[in-house]
């Protein structure tokens, strides 16, 4: 029988500053941009009858977007952890280590630059946040 | 239990006007750190690096458009219109002393879209602002509230150690030495001259935590830092029995900052001067930022920098308001954004 997985296994840990302390966010309900893409290039020459592609030996990951309720809980609140600090835009920043357990046995880790954290207040609703992360250089994203 | 926030906590003050009642649907704001793709030949993965520049954004969605009062299109704000520099403050954590807000200088309204609905719907508008300069992360020192006489908040100042969103730097240990060496679990990010408050550090003699039982010199004041390396500092305490655990919070840094003042109702005033003050100990106050006299203005907003970009901003902040000819509805909000 196949082994399925659900949201109860998911957790998101983000350093509270570049090189800082990893904190498990106390609220995250959307994650977009996990994964690694192998860059390819169309490589079929004249005379071939089918289009083909070759890998170029370089991978890329998309921007990572986290979303959820904005909280100001000490240590693990989403605004507490994801509030931008000066180190996030420093030219030589090492970025923040992001660890996402997508499912038991499927953990994504990598260093990202926190590009922006946007509070999203909406009338008659709880205030949300959206945080945008961009792969750092050199990028070390990997599944384990 | 996590601390959430909701729409009743949201407010928008622009140039001394409370535009919150005109906000129907949403307001979004961000400070984007710009990056550049920097992976070169030979690398196996695409990567990016910050370029040291940030870009602020502020947009209001589906606000009420009224040609007479028109808060989003500046008819309500005299001499307004596209291209006028404004001082704006956005709140989503409520008008509470110590809560954070986003402060903008030079928020020009750039693009406004009037939304014409069917005959049964109110006319609304979307407005996007171009931001000139930094977006500041400020803390409310005086929440917007009516005042009836000269006042100050020195009896209940804002303490940097009380900020729940301040970074807590985990401590590994303190050494038996004079001065004692504090080792952290992770890079501390502190610089010489910073002042930290320590909490939860166990089994140390003397007690170097922020509120020891004894009347120590650092009680509710903090410790001045001397950096050894990325993970280690010293503080000027003779420790005879080293401790473990706990965390440090940065409470004072020589980074200057920006003071914000929004006079929302200056009706009846013939003069009003607000001053942000700071203190090492919460009792001996020194001027940090003095705002210009608002005179007889009903509405006014100011963003004023500290004396220098390297002013040592102390742990405690308070606001002092001094006016002439108070009425019953004079309302001021003030806050301070510490520099990096």
């Amino acid at each position: 029988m196949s082994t399925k997985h659900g949201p109860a296994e998911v957790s998101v840990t983000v350093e509270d500053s570049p090189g800082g302390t990893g904190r498990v966010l106390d609220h995250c309900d959307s994650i977009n941009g996990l994964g690694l893409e192998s860059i390819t290039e169309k490589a079929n020459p004249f005379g071939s009858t089918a289009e083909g592609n070759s890998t170029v030996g370089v991978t890329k990951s998309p921007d990572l977007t986290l979303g959820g309720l904005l909280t100001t809980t000490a240590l693990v609140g989403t605004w507490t952890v994801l509030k931008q600090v000066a180190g996030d835009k420093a030219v030589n920043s090492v970025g923040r280590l992001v660890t996402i357990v997508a499912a038991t046995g499927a953990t994504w880790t990598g260093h990202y630059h926190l590009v922006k954290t946007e509070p999203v207040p909406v009338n008659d609703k709880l205030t949300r946040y959206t945080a945008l992360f961009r792969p750092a250089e050199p990028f070390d994203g990997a599944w384990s | 239990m996590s601390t959430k926030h909701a729409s009743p906590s949201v407010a928008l003050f622009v140039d001394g006007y409370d535009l919150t009642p005109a906000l129907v649907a949403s307001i979004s704001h961000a400070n984007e750190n710009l990056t550049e793709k920097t992976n070169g030949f030979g690398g196996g993965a695409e990567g990016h690096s910050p370029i040291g520049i940030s870009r602020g954004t502020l947009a209001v969605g589906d606000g009420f458009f009224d040609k007479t009062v028109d808060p989003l299109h500046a008819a309500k704000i005299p001499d307004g219109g596209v291209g006028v520099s404004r001082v704006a403050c956005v709140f989503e954590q409520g008008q509470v002393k110590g809560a954070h807000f986003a402060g903008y200088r030079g928020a020009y309204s750039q693009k406004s879209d009037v939304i014409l609905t069917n005959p049964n719907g109110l006319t609304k508008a979307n407005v996007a602002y171009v931001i000139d300069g930094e977006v500041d992360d400020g803390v409310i020192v005086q929440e917007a509230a009516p005042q009836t006489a000269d006042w100050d908040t020195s009896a209940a100042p804002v303490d940097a150690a009380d900020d729940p969103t301040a970074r807590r730097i985990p401590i590994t240990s303190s050494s038996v030495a004079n001065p004692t060496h504090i080792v952290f679990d992770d890079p501390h990010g502190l610089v010489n001259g910073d002042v930290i408050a320590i909490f939860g550090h166990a089994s140390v003699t003397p007690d170097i935590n922020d509120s020891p039982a004894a009347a120590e010199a650092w009680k509710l004041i903090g410790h001045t830092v001397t950096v050894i390396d990325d993970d280690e500092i010293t503080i000027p305490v003779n420790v005879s029995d080293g401790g473990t655990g706990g965390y440090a919070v940065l409470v004072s840094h020589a980074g200057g900052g920006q003071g914000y003042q929004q006079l929302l109702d200056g009706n009846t005033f013939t003069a009003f001067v607000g001053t942000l003050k700071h203190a090492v100990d919460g009792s001996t106050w020194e001027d940090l930022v003095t705002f210009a006299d608002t005179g007889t203005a009903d509405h006014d907003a100011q963003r004023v920098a500290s004396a220098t970009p390297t002013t040592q901003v102390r742990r405690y902040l308070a606001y002092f308001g001094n006016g002439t000819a108070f009425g019953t509805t004079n309302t001021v909000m003030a806050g301070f954004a510490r520099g990096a």
Side-chain angles (χ1 to χ4, degrees), chain A residues 21 59 84 115 123-124 127, chain B residues 5 7 24 31 33 44 46 186:
Chain A
T21 305
T59 58
Q84 290 161 260
V115 174
N123 203 8
D124 296 335
T127 299
Chain B
H5 301 272
S7 55
V24 176
N31 190 26
N33 296 326
E46 201 171 272
D186 301 302

Side-chain angles (χ1 to χ4, degrees), chain A residues 3-20:
Chain A
T3 306
K4 305 178 189 62
H5 300 274
E9 301 169 54
V10 179
S11 70
V12 178
T13 304
V14 182
E15 285 182 340
D16 56 11
S17 65

Side-chain angles (χ1 to χ4, degrees), chain A residues 92-135:
Chain A
N92 294 313
S93 171
V94 298
R96 301 190 187 203
L97 180 65
V98 177
T99 303
I100 298 175
V101 178
T104 304
T107 300
W108 174 259
T109 57
H111 281 84
Y112 290 82
H113 296 299
L114 177 57
V115 174
K116 65 176 175 177
T117 298
E118 182 175 348
V120 186
V122 178
N123 203 8
D124 296 335
K125 293 186 184 300
L126 291 169
T127 299
R128 295 182 58 82
Y129 72 91
T130 300
L132 176 66
F133 293 85
R134 187 154 294 150

Side-chain angles (χ1 to χ4, degrees), chain B residues 67-163:
Chain B
K67 190 178 176 185
T68 304
V69 297
D70 189 13
L72 297 179
H73 297 270
K76 183 174 182 179
I77 305 175
D79 301 321
V82 175
V84 175
S85 176
R86 309 192 184 289
V87 176
C89 299
V90 183
F91 309 85
E92 62 264 325
Q93 298 175 23
Q95 277 298 311
V96 178
K97 193 184 301 179
H100 283 252
F101 69 95
Y104 298 81
R105 174 209 63 183
Y108 301 83
S109 59
Q110 179 200 25
K111 179 171 182 256
S112 55
D113 297 316
V114 177
I115 305 165
L116 299 174
T117 61
N118 66 59
N120 296 326
L122 292 170
T123 303
K124 305 219 178 60
N126 296 329
V127 182
Y129 292 85
V130 170
I131 309 303
D132 173 23
E134 295 281 344
V135 178
D136 298 318
D137 174 30
V139 171
I140 297 174
V141 181
Q142 168 63 60
E143 67 276 20
Q147 308 291 339
T148 56
D150 289 351
W151 84 102
D152 68 73
T153 66
S154 60
V158 173
D159 181 356
D162 289 342
D163 184 354

Side-chain angles (χ1 to χ4, degrees), chain A residues 49-106:
Chain A
T49 57
E51 198 172 276
N53 299 275
S54 294
T55 56
V56 304
V58 180
T59 58
K60 71 176 180 181
S61 283
D63 288 346
L64 176 69
T65 304
L66 304 178
L69 295 180
L70 186 142
T71 61
T72 51
T73 318
L75 283 180
V76 297
T78 53
W79 182 251
T80 306
V81 178
L82 300 176
K83 182 176 58 178
Q84 290 161 260
V85 298
D88 286 315
K89 75 170 187 183
V91 170
N92 294 313
S93 171
V94 298
R96 301 190 187 203
L97 180 65
V98 177
T99 303
I100 298 175
V101 178
T104 304

Side-chain angles (χ1 to χ4, degrees), chain B:
Chain B
M1 190 173 75
S2 69
T3 306
K4 307 179 189 67
H5 301 272
S7 55
S9 299
V10 174
L12 171 64
F13 299 162
V14 179
D15 279 0
Y17 289 84
D18 182 357
L19 303 189
T20 311
L23 301 177
V24 176
S26 65
I27 176 170
S28 66
H29 62 100
N31 190 26
E32 179 181 348
N33 296 326
L34 303 181
T35 62
E36 180 179 350
K37 181 169 166 295
T38 51
N39 56 295
F41 289 115
E46 201 171 272
H48 303 81
S49 298
I51 63 173
I53 295 174
S54 58
R55 174 171 62 211
T57 59
L58 174 62
V60 173
D62 274 5
F64 284 126
F65 176 88
D66 182 302
K67 190 178 176 185
T68 304
V69 297
D70 189 13
L72 297 179
H73 297 270
K76 183 174 182 179
I77 305 175
D79 301 321
V82 175
V84 175
S85 176
R86 309 192 184 289
V87 176
C89 299
V90 183
F91 309 85
E92 62 264 325
Q93 298 175 23
Q95 277 298 311
V96 178
K97 193 184 301 179
H100 283 252
F101 69 95
Y104 298 81
R105 174 209 63 183
Y108 301 83
S109 59
Q110 179 200 25
K111 179 171 182 256
S112 55
D113 297 316
V114 177
I115 305 165
L116 299 174
T117 61
N118 66 59
N120 296 326
L122 292 170
T123 303
K124 305 219 178 60
N126 296 329
V127 182
Y129 292 85
V130 170
I131 309 303
D132 173 23
E134 295 281 344
V135 178
D136 298 318
D137 174 30
V139 171
I140 297 174
V141 181
Q142 168 63 60
E143 67 276 20
Q147 308 291 339
T148 56
D150 289 351
W151 84 102
D152 68 73
T153 66
S154 60
V158 173
D159 181 356
D162 289 342
D163 184 354
T165 68
R167 182 176 171 228
R168 298 182 176 185
I169 315 167
I171 296 173
T172 304
S173 64
S174 56
S175 67
V176 176
N178 184 21
T180 184
H181 287 239
I182 307 291
V183 178
F184 295 94
D185 294 356
D186 301 302
H188 51 71
L190 301 168
V191 300
N192 289 336
D194 282 347
V195 178
I196 58 171
I198 293 175
F199 300 88
H201 194 58
S203 307
V204 59
T205 305
D207 185 355
I208 61 173
N209 288 293
D210 194 55
S211 191
E216 304 286 4
W218 55 84
K219 185 169 184 173
L220 300 178
I221 290 176
H223 304 278
T224 301
V225 165
T226 300
V227 174
I228 302 299
D229 60 33
D230 289 348
D231 301 317
E232 187 173 334
I233 63 169
T234 64
I235 59 172
V237 179
N238 184 2
V239 168
S240 57
D241 191 4
T244 60
Y247 60 91
V249 176
L250 175 65
V251 297
S252 175
H253 174 68
Q258 302 289 338
Y260 282 81
Q261 179 181 276
Q262 296 269 0
L263 177 67
L264 304 176
D265 184 340
N267 183 33
T268 76
F269 275 150
T270 57
F272 178 77
V273 175
T275 307
L276 283 165
K277 300 191 181 189
H278 60 159
V280 170
D281 53 7
S283 59
T284 306
W285 297 97
E286 300 173 344
D287 289 354
L288 177 60
V289 168
T290 301
F291 298 99
D293 184 352
T294 60
T296 58
D298 282 358
H299 302 275
D300 181 82
Q302 298 179 44
R303 177 183 183 268
V304 179
S306 56
T308 74
T310 56
T311 295
Q312 182 85 29
V313 180
R314 306 299 181 187
R315 171 172 174 169
Y316 298 92
L317 300 176
Y319 181 77
F320 291 68
N322 293 281
T324 303
F326 275 84
T328 59
T329 61
N330 301 121
T331 302
V332 178
M333 168 267 157
F336 188 78
R338 293 175 184 260

